[in-house]
Amino acid sequence: MRLVSFEGGFGRVEDGKVAPMGPSLVDWLAFGIQGIATGTPRPLAEVKLLAPVPRPGKIICVGLNYRDHAKETGKAVPTEPILFPKFANSVVGPGAEVLVPPEADEIDYEAELAVVIGRRASRVAVADALDHVAGYACANDVSSRSLQFRTGQWLTGKAIDTFLPLGPYLVTADEVPDPQALGIRCLVNDELRQDSNTSEMVFGVAELVSYTSRTITLEPGDLLVTGTPAGVGMAADPPRYLRAGDRMRVEIDGLGELENTVRARP
């Protein structure tokens, strides 16, 4: 299924329409209620979509998790996952504006595969990890490089309000037989900037779920944002950072397209 959230509820997308299924996608994941339509289907084009999970309980991101990205930044390929948080304040849906505060500059895009947890995961084995995944979505880990590298911690450059577009759908795991075989791209103003494949990940989805769950219990609706491939703006010579008015579009095979525009925060 392709699931979407909107003001007042969530539903599944079928034949260009949204069939409402209830008030909360996360509650549906947590309690295992069958996906029965509860309202009249509406044309998808008439529904204002939110992020599929509008307020995740936890957002755990992964740094330097693509071999091609590590190479372009001159960093060694990590020997274990590099984790850092974002928070629900960063999450916005498809079409929403990414608002850049005056304290932030050197704004960069990062196309990423987001993993949505469907079942509680604590100390799960790699072989069992994908059983805890509800599905996948496009994400854009927008970053302020000037703030990210000001100290040894990345938080202030990453967890900014509106800096994690997510969507447009949560595509359920049964429709993604191999999350390590997906083309992933980012375009800025229709110019291709990133063009890679999730096979380039250093640590795959199953490894990341297992590794994280050793010390952090993952709950339904939590997100793992799995890293970005080569082609980020800071790695260009000279760097190609985003400006107000730029349109970013993340594309992942089978998961749709996520488009957002950069604006200066009033």
Side-chain angles (χ1 to χ4, degrees):
M1 289 187 291
R2 291 189 169 202
L3 302 175
V4 295
S5 290
F6 49 86
E7 291 184 3
F10 83 104
R12 64 176 181 266
V13 178
E14 296 178 343
D15 301 322
K17 295 183 178 180
V18 177
M21 292 170 57
S24 169
L25 188 152
V26 172
D27 286 349
W28 178 75
L29 293 175
F31 299 113
I33 302 169
Q34 293 299 313
I36 299 172
T38 60
T40 303
R42 299 168 57 191
L44 179 61
E46 296 179 7
V47 176
K48 179 175 175 56
L49 297 183
L50 307 176
V53 184
R55 301 284 300 177
K58 291 187 285 295
I59 304 169
I60 299 172
C61 303
V62 189
L64 294 175
N65 195 37
Y66 278 70
R67 295 174 184 86
D68 54 4
H69 178 52
K71 180 179 178 180
E72 75 172 350
T73 59
K75 304 289 187 182
V77 173
T79 57
E80 63 180 273
I82 299 170
L83 305 182
F84 63 92
K86 284 198 171 190
F87 306 106
N89 60 287
S90 295
V91 175
V92 292
E97 293 183 337
V98 171
L99 300 176
V100 179
E103 293 80 7
D105 55 13
E106 297 180 354
I107 307 303
D108 212 346
Y109 50 86
E110 293 191 11
E112 308 211 7
L113 173 69
V115 178
V116 182
I117 299 298
R119 289 175 51 208
R120 187 176 185 271
S122 177
R123 303 189 65 82
V124 300
V126 173
D128 301 323
L130 294 184
D131 294 338
H132 295 261
V133 173
Y136 304 90
C138 301
N140 189 346
D141 176 19
V142 181
S143 307
S144 167
R145 302 302 189 192
S146 62
L147 293 179
Q148 179 182 354
F149 300 119
R150 184 171 292 179
T151 70
Q153 299 292 328
W154 294 358
L155 182 68
T156 55
K158 291 284 193 174
I160 298 170
D161 294 351
T162 74
F163 271 42
L164 186 62
L166 180 72
Y169 318 107
L170 186 163
V171 178
T172 53
D174 60 299
E175 294 198 15
V176 185
D178 185 357
Q180 306 311 143
L182 303 175
I184 180 170
R185 297 167 293 279
C186 183
L187 297 89
V188 177
N189 301 325
D190 298 320
E191 176 191 356
L192 185 63
R193 298 280 187 92
Q194 293 180 285
D195 187 9
S196 188
N197 192 282
T198 56
S199 62
E200 280 286 318
M201 283 187 190
V202 180
F203 306 100
V205 172
E207 293 173 282
L208 292 172
V209 172
S210 177
Y211 178 89
T212 305
S213 76
R214 294 179 191 176
T215 55
I216 303 170
T217 298
L218 300 173
E219 303 284 356
D222 287 349
L223 300 183
L224 284 174
V225 186
T226 57
T228 199
V232 296
M234 74 172 179
D237 186 16
R240 304 183 70 186
Y241 293 121
L242 296 165
R243 297 175 293 180
D246 282 346
R247 291 179 294 106
M248 304 173 288
R249 186 168 77 247
V250 174
E251 302 175 351
I252 301 178
D253 292 351
L255 304 186
E257 300 179 357
L258 172 66
E259 185 163 314
N260 300 86
T261 301
V262 178
R263 301 290 184 200
R265 185 171 181 173

